[in-house]
Amino acid sequence: MRAWIYSEYGNIEEVLKFDPNVPTPHLMENQVLIKVVAAAINPVDYKRALGHFKDIDSPLPTAPGYDVAGVVVKVGNQVKKFKVGDEVYGDINEITLDHPKTIGSLAEYTAVEEKVLAHKPSNLSFVEAASLPLAIITAYQGLETAQFSAGKSILVLGGAGGVGSLVIQIAKHIFGASKIAATGSSGKLELLRNLGADLPIDYTKENFEELAEQFDVVYDAVGQSERALKVVKEGGKVVTIVAPATPPAIPFLLTSDGDLLEKLRPYLESGEVKPILDPKSPFPFSQTVEAFSYLKTNKATGKVVIYPIP
C-alpha cells in the first residue's frame, strides 16, 4: 500500500517520505482494518517525529497520523461493534505517547482496535469526521479533568484552534457554561463569537491577565499555564494540554475512547457541536509535507486534514 513514512527522527518536513510499497498492517483479533479516506494531522505527529518520545515510541519506520475516518474492509474474530462496510472514525492510539502504532492514518490502510473507534456521524463528511477525534476527546476529557459543570465560567486560551474551538462549543452546549471567554487573533474574533464565546479577546491587543474578572476554569490550549493561573478563581482549576505545566495547573493528555465519540454523536448530528476546518483544508495526500509545514506555523484555524487518501 501507499503511505508517508519516516525511518529516522528529525524535522518532519525533511524525514517524511512517500513510499508506494509499504506492507498492509497485520490484523489482530480485536482490530478492524480501515481503508483510510481522510486523516487529520496534529502537533503530536511532528513532535513524535523529532524523537521527543523515543523512549516510549514504537520502532521505526513509522507512518504518522492519529486521526482517521474511513471504511471497515476487514474485522478481527473478536470484533462485535463493526462489520465490513461500516463508516468509522477515531483516534487510533488509545494512549497518545505509549507505543503508538507504527502504521498510522497517513496510509492507505490502518489496523485499529475496536474500542477506540465509533460510527461516523451520518451528517458529517469523511473530512469533517477525520478532523474531530483527538481534538474533541481532548476538549471533553479536559473539561472533565477540570471538574467543569453547569453554571461555571471558563476562559479558553487558543479558542480558534483545533481543540479550543471544540472546548467552547462543548462547554456551552454540553456542560452548560454560564460565561465563556476565549482568546484569538484579530481576524478570528467573529469565529469565537459564532462558536459561542461571550467575550472574545484579541490577544494581539490585550492581555487576558488584565481582565477585571476571574474564571472557574481556564482551559489552556496554547501553553500559557503560568499566565492562566492569574485569572482563575480561588478553588478554580487550570488545565493545560501543552507541557510544561506550571503548578498547580493540571497537565492533561487524552485517552482515546470510541464510547465517548458515540456519546457525543447526538450533539454532532444535531449540529450543536460542529467540526471547524482550516480554510486550506483538505490538503491532497501528495501535499502532506506542505500540510505539516502549515500546521507548524500555529496559524491554522480549526483542523488541518489530508484528503483523499489514495
Side-chain angles (χ1 to χ4, degrees):
M1 65 172 188
R2 289 164 285 186
W4 283 94
I5 297 277
Y6 57 87
S7 301
E8 59 181 332
Y9 290 120
N11 282 324
I12 200 158
E13 303 99 311
E14 294 161 19
V15 297
L16 194 64
K17 308 292 179 202
F18 178 72
D19 188 336
N21 198 25
V22 177
T24 304
H26 173 72
L27 195 65
M28 316 269 270
E29 290 189 334
N30 64 341
Q31 291 179 328
V32 302
L33 189 67
I34 298 171
K35 169 70 183 80
V36 182
V37 178
I41 58 175
N42 293 282
V44 67
D45 292 309
Y46 60 74
K47 291 175 184 174
R48 183 182 167 201
L50 282 169
H52 286 187
F53 320 115
K54 64 172 121 188
D55 295 345
I56 49 172
D57 204 352
S58 302
L60 298 172
T62 290
Y66 281 67
D67 284 318
V68 72
V71 180
V72 175
V73 292
K74 196 172 173 185
V75 296
N77 295 337
Q78 295 172 8
V79 171
K80 298 186 173 61
K81 200 161 80 169
F82 304 108
K83 62 185 187 305
V84 171
D86 282 355
E87 298 181 347
V88 297
Y89 77 130
D91 166 5
I92 66 172
N93 294 303
E94 184 179 14
I95 309 297
T96 306
L97 303 177
D98 187 6
H99 298 92
K101 291 186 170 46
T102 54
I103 300 296
S105 55
L106 291 175
E108 233 172 317
Y109 297 93
T110 186
V112 186
E113 289 74 22
E114 175 181 39
K115 67 179 174 182
V116 299
L117 295 172
H119 294 92
K120 180 176 78 63
S122 55
N123 60 318
L124 298 185
S125 68
F126 283 105
V127 170
E128 290 169 322
S131 78
L132 283 168
L134 188 145
I136 202 168
I137 296 170
T138 299
Y140 188 94
Q141 290 179 347
L143 287 166
E144 281 191 322
T145 299
Q147 298 173 319
F148 195 68
S149 56
K152 288 186 175 179
S153 61
I154 185 169
L155 168 62
V156 183
L157 303 182
V163 173
S165 59
L166 289 160
V167 173
I168 294 170
Q169 297 180 76
I170 290 169
K172 184 181 183 80
H173 296 294
I174 301 180
F175 284 85
S178 60
K179 181 168 189 176
I180 301 171
T183 63
S185 58
S186 310
K188 296 178 180 177
L189 302 185
E190 192 57 33
L191 171 66
L192 297 179
R193 271 188 207 95
N194 292 340
L195 290 171
D198 307 292
L199 178 62
I201 300 162
D202 184 345
Y203 70 75
T204 69
K205 293 181 179 160
E206 52 189 322
N207 293 322
F208 63 81
E209 309 94 305
E210 292 166 12
L211 291 171
E213 61 195 292
Q214 295 192 309
F215 299 88
D216 295 302
V217 166
V218 183
Y219 196 120
D220 168 31
V222 291
Q224 297 176 335
S225 57
E226 188 171 354
R227 292 173 63 193
L229 291 165
K230 295 173 183 167
V231 291
V232 71
K233 289 179 183 173
E234 195 171 338
K237 298 223 171 2
V238 174
V239 63
T240 183
I241 59 170
V242 183
T246 303
I250 306 160
F252 173 73
L253 265 180
L254 81 157
T255 302
S256 183
D257 182 355
D259 288 343
L260 175 54
L261 291 176
E262 296 286 8
K263 176 178 162 181
L264 295 172
R265 185 172 170 181
Y267 298 98
L268 293 163
E269 292 190 335
S270 70
E272 282 182 288
V273 177
K274 296 182 175 72
I276 305 298
L277 293 169
D278 185 85
K280 289 182 187 281
S281 284
F283 283 78
F285 194 60
S286 60
Q287 290 180 21
T288 296
V289 171
E290 289 87 340
F292 273 116
S293 291
Y294 177 60
L295 181 66
K296 287 172 81 172
T297 66
N298 292 324
K299 297 278 195 314
T301 302
K303 295 291 296 191
V304 175
V305 178
I306 310 293
Y307 166 87
I309 309 278

